[in-house]
């Protein structure tokens, strides 16, 4: 930005983000972001989607079909956009984000907002990768905002033993260490609310006397949000309340997080990419408190007006996913 105040911007400056492009609009979290953005009535949402993709997009979003290997295709799709939201799968080719950043720079997108890292940042495994991405964004003269939200609760709960340790089909639970380590976790709809609220703020204060909340407060910074601060035992207690299961119905095992983490990394090293999930989830449960970011950094929930959610209601949503035979690893985008 040329200055810190809207009144000093060039003629034609609009102090709102209206035109938003998103990568992953049809994905598990992207659809919630789109829905919440559209609810505000302040944004036109354009979805970048691969040519030939069969992914169903939320109603109200404008699709633009692109070839990620063709920069001109990406640049054309991003021209006129004021913000780019990236919600890539962890399994996306590693150069995809860089291609998007460079195309956005050529297209003149000024803010690359809301790179949704979820648990990746908190796992401690991939911060270097994302820090490199943020550096690349800043070198283009644009800005970024990272939504740090922890893992997504319902999807992580049904992920299987490699995730939160639950095997629902066999009623087995592996508790990491003693099962009491608490981590911050968010629902996907809470992430959607946070992004929509953030992008509905004024970009800059009007002048030096304007104390209202603005997007500029978080430019090139993370925004920490959360739905719950939970341990595995907290999750299990909620599951029992929702289902009526008794503890004796389940087989409970214990395993050190360090051993799980090392095994996951070995699996990846040996070509088993699913080992990444075991390593990532084990890492965030290390008993050093890395997964509890609300006490380290504080949350933006209150300042953004995010609601307090009910744990058992979200656990019931997870149970419904289990009952439908949902497999997160095969249904993610």
């Amino acid at each position: 930005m040329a200055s810190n105040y809207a009144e000093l911007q060039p003629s034609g400056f609009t102090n709102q983000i209206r035109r938003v492009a998103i990568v992953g609009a049809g994905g598990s979290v992207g659809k919630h972001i789109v829905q919440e953005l559209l609810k505000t009535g302040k944004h036109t949402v354009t979805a970048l989607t691969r040519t030939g993709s069969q992914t169903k997009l939320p109603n109200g979003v404008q699709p633009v079909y692109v070839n990620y290997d063709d920069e001109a295709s990406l640049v054309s799709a991003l021209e006129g956009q004021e913000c780019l939201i990236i919600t890539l799968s962890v399994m996306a080719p590693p150069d995809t984000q860089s291609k998007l950043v460079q195309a956005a720079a050529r297209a003149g997108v000024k803010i690359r907002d809301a790179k949704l890292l979820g648990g990746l940042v908190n796992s401690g495994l991939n911060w270097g990768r994302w820090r490199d991405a943020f550096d690349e964004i800043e070198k283009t003269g644009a800005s970024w905002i990272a939504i740090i939200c922890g893992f997504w609760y319902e999807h992580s709960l049904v992920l299987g033993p490699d995730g939160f340790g639950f095997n629902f089909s066999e009623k087995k639970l592996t508790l990491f260490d003693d099962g009491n380590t608490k981590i911050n976790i968010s629902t996907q709809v809470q992430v959607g609310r946070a992004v929509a609220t953030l992008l509905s703020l004024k970009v800059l204060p009007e002048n030096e006397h304007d104390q209202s909340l603005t997007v500029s407060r978080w430019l090139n910074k993370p925004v920490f949000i959360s739905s719950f601060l939970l341990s595995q035992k907290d999750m299990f207690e909620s599951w029992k309340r929702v289902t009526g299961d008794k503890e004796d119905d389940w087989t409970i095992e214990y395993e050190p997080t360090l051993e799980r983490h090392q095994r996951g990394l070995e699996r990846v090293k040996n070509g088993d990419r699913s080992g990444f999930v075991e390593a990532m989830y084990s890492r965030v449960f290390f008993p050093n408190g890395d997964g509890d970011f609300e006490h380290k950094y504080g949350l933006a929930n209150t300042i953004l007006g995010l609601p307090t959610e009910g744990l058992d209601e979200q656990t019931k949503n997870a149970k419904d996913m289990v009952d439908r035979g949902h497999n997160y690893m095969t249904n993610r985008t």
Side-chain angles (χ1 to χ4, degrees):
M1 295 294 176
S3 73
N4 295 325
Y5 303 115
E7 67 177 15
L8 300 178
Q9 299 305 306
S11 175
F13 172 76
T14 301
N15 202 18
Q16 294 286 335
I17 296 172
R18 296 175 178 172
R19 297 185 298 278
V20 179
I22 180 169
V23 176
S28 55
V29 70
K31 64 184 178 184
H32 290 289
I33 293 173
V34 169
Q35 288 164 359
E36 295 299 322
L37 282 170
L38 293 175
K39 281 182 186 178
T40 69
K42 297 180 178 180
H43 309 283
T44 299
V45 182
T46 298
L48 274 65
T49 187
R50 290 184 184 277
T51 301
S53 172
Q54 300 301 309
T55 300
K56 180 176 173 56
L57 297 175
N59 292 333
V61 68
Q62 301 176 1
V64 175
Y65 295 95
V66 299
N67 178 353
Y68 284 95
D69 294 322
D70 180 359
E71 186 181 40
S73 170
L74 295 174
V75 172
S76 177
L78 292 171
E79 286 178 347
Q81 299 298 325
E82 297 167 332
C83 171
L84 171 60
I85 300 173
I86 304 174
T87 65
L88 289 172
S89 163
V90 297
M91 298 301 183
D95 63 343
T96 303
Q97 178 157 285
S98 180
K99 291 177 179 178
L100 288 164
V101 168
Q102 294 304 319
R106 284 191 56 191
V109 181
K110 296 301 181 185
I111 302 176
R112 253 72 90 199
D113 262 343
K115 171 62 188 123
L116 295 174
L117 305 183
L120 294 180
V121 166
N122 306 316
S123 72
L125 290 173
N126 288 283
W127 177 252
R129 173 183 172 186
W130 299 119
R131 182 63 260 181
D132 290 344
F134 298 150
D135 288 343
E136 183 178 6
I137 291 171
E138 291 178 35
K139 287 177 181 177
T140 70
S143 303
W144 55 270
I145 297 175
I147 303 295
I148 312 300
C149 57
F151 291 116
W152 299 322
Y153 178 61
E154 312 99 301
H155 284 275
S156 295
L157 199 61
V158 305
L159 187 57
D162 285 344
F164 285 158
F166 287 81
N167 184 330
F168 293 109
S169 63
E170 299 181 15
K171 290 196 173 183
K172 291 183 179 179
L173 170 60
T174 301
L175 293 175
F176 312 154
D177 299 321
D178 61 4
N180 287 316
T181 299
K182 293 183 182 289
I183 66 171
N184 282 105
I185 306 168
S186 297
T187 63
Q188 293 174 333
V189 68
Q190 190 79 312
V191 176
R193 294 186 194 108
V195 173
T197 300
L198 185 64
L199 298 188
S200 296
L201 299 173
K202 292 187 294 186
V203 177
L204 297 171
E206 295 297 335
N207 51 51
E208 62 181 326
H209 305 295
D210 184 357
Q211 299 300 310
S212 58
L213 198 62
T214 64
V215 175
S216 61
R217 174 191 180 114
W218 287 287
L219 291 183
N220 297 337
K221 297 177 182 177
V223 180
F224 294 93
I225 69 161
S226 178
S227 296
F228 312 110
L229 181 66
L230 297 176
S231 69
Q232 288 177 284
K233 286 186 176 180
D234 294 330
M235 300 175 203
F236 189 38
E237 290 302 314
S238 179
W239 180 265
K240 289 187 292 181
R241 288 193 299 269
V242 167
T243 64
D245 283 357
K246 306 299 181 185
E247 190 150 341
D248 289 345
D249 298 332
W250 283 69
T251 300
I252 311 296
E253 300 176 342
Y254 294 83
E255 187 175 19
T257 49
L258 183 59
E259 289 184 11
R260 290 179 60 86
H261 182 250
Q262 291 176 335
R263 183 175 63 239
L265 293 179
E266 283 297 316
R267 288 169 62 188
V268 174
K269 184 178 178 180
N270 293 328
D272 179 4
R273 296 183 68 189
S274 63
F276 174 76
V277 176
E278 183 180 43
M280 181 171 62
Y281 277 81
S282 300
R283 177 63 183 86
V284 80
F285 277 101
F286 275 14
N288 60 5
D290 278 354
D292 175 4
F293 54 74
E294 71 177 71
H295 287 102
K296 285 187 175 183
Y297 308 109
L299 299 178
N301 287 44
T302 300
I303 197 170
L304 291 177
L306 301 181
T308 299
E309 298 169 286
L311 175 59
D312 288 357
E313 179 184 355
Q314 303 306 324
T315 300
K316 184 180 183 302
N317 290 339
K319 180 183 180 299
D320 291 342
M321 294 165 69
V322 172
D323 293 342
R324 295 195 305 268
H326 180 97
N327 184 326
Y328 179 56
M329 291 303 290
T330 59
N331 287 277
R332 72 177 188 278
T333 55

